[in-house]
Amino acid sequence: MSAGWDGLAVTVRGDGPGVLWLHGYTMRAEVWRPVWAHLPGLRHVGLDLPWHGASRPARDGETLAGLAATVTAAALATGVRHVVALSFGTVLAVEMAAARPDAFRSWTLAAPALAGMPHEPAVRQRYLDLARLYREAGPGRHLTRLWMSHPPAIFAGVAARPAVHSALAAVIDRHRWDELRGDGMRALVRRPQRAAALAGLRAPLLVLTGD
């Protein structure tokens, strides 16, 4: 692991064509390792997003566009040509794709989201409940339990697979939750994104949705 992408930690595994992996909220690059084991012949580059894993927090005044430019430049400089993203990671991927539609050879967006778009009411309430519990009790496993409980169905898929659920909970247990101290993640997603911004994309785009 290194912190060479402007303070953002990167995990690299394997050799071959470079693939950038962007995780979901409260996770870190290591959640992708079981997937990497099934994809030999590739150089897997997992990025810890700001506030996550070993990465720095977002800086004062840092925008999603600025973060996307930083990640795109670093990825291209290290030979990455494909991008895979999950949930909150897709917000960054969409920003990267919209700004540099010719930069990468393929995009895969799983459980995609757009910045500034309204959440399902139950999901919005879950975020509010997390912020309240953090103020009352600080960081800890109680936040993991709340975040992964359902409804809403954010983690319903892994809840049906106990071994996967346990492994993912162990990763989220290590999340620091520092972004809940202030504006945190909201500062990066205030400006709405539009799906139409991807109209200029010049590479294959795979979107994975569902339960």
Side-chain angles (χ1 to χ4, degrees):
M1 178 179 291
S2 69
W5 288 20
D6 189 30
L8 301 175
V10 175
T11 300
V12 181
R13 294 288 185 275
D15 294 300
V19 183
L20 175 65
W21 297 77
L22 304 174
H23 60 76
Y25 177 52
T26 70
M27 303 177 193
R28 56 181 68 201
E30 70 183 68
V31 299
W32 297 111
R33 288 177 182 171
V35 180
W36 296 346
H38 292 282
L39 296 171
L42 297 170
R43 182 166 54 89
H44 301 290
V45 181
L47 180 70
D48 287 351
L49 298 176
W51 284 290
H52 293 73
S55 286
R56 60 168 174 79
R59 299 189 176 102
D60 290 344
E62 188 170 29
T63 63
L64 186 61
L67 179 63
T70 295
V71 172
T72 297
L76 293 175
T78 54
V80 167
R81 292 299 180 267
H82 306 274
V83 179
V84 179
L86 170 68
S87 190
F88 179 73
T90 68
V91 174
L92 176 57
V94 166
E95 196 73 13
M96 294 166 62
R100 297 286 303 276
D102 299 315
F104 298 93
R105 295 174 185 167
S106 74
W107 300 84
T108 300
L109 308 181
L114 294 171
M117 295 293 102
H119 289 293
E120 174 189 345
V123 174
R124 181 176 182 275
Q125 186 60 49
R126 178 54 47 82
Y127 287 127
L128 294 173
D129 290 343
L130 285 170
R132 175 189 53 77
L133 184 58
Y134 179 85
R135 291 194 301 270
E136 293 175 354
R141 291 182 176 179
H142 49 282
L143 288 169
T144 301
R145 289 193 294 270
L146 174 61
W147 176 226
M148 297 187 71
S149 63
H150 62 281
I154 298 170
F155 292 97
V158 296
R161 303 172 65 189
V164 176
H165 186 276
S166 178
L168 185 57
V171 172
I172 296 176
D173 276 342
R174 293 156 55 203
H175 184 59
R176 298 182 300 274
W177 302 98
D178 291 343
E179 75 283 358
L180 296 181
R181 292 180 179 175
D183 269 355
M185 304 293 281
R186 292 189 298 275
L188 290 179
V189 297
R190 284 199 180 106
R191 182 178 60 80
Q193 293 175 315
R194 306 293 177 187
L198 299 176
L201 205 58
R202 300 291 186 266
L205 169 67
L206 174 64
V207 177
L208 303 174
T209 64
D211 295 332

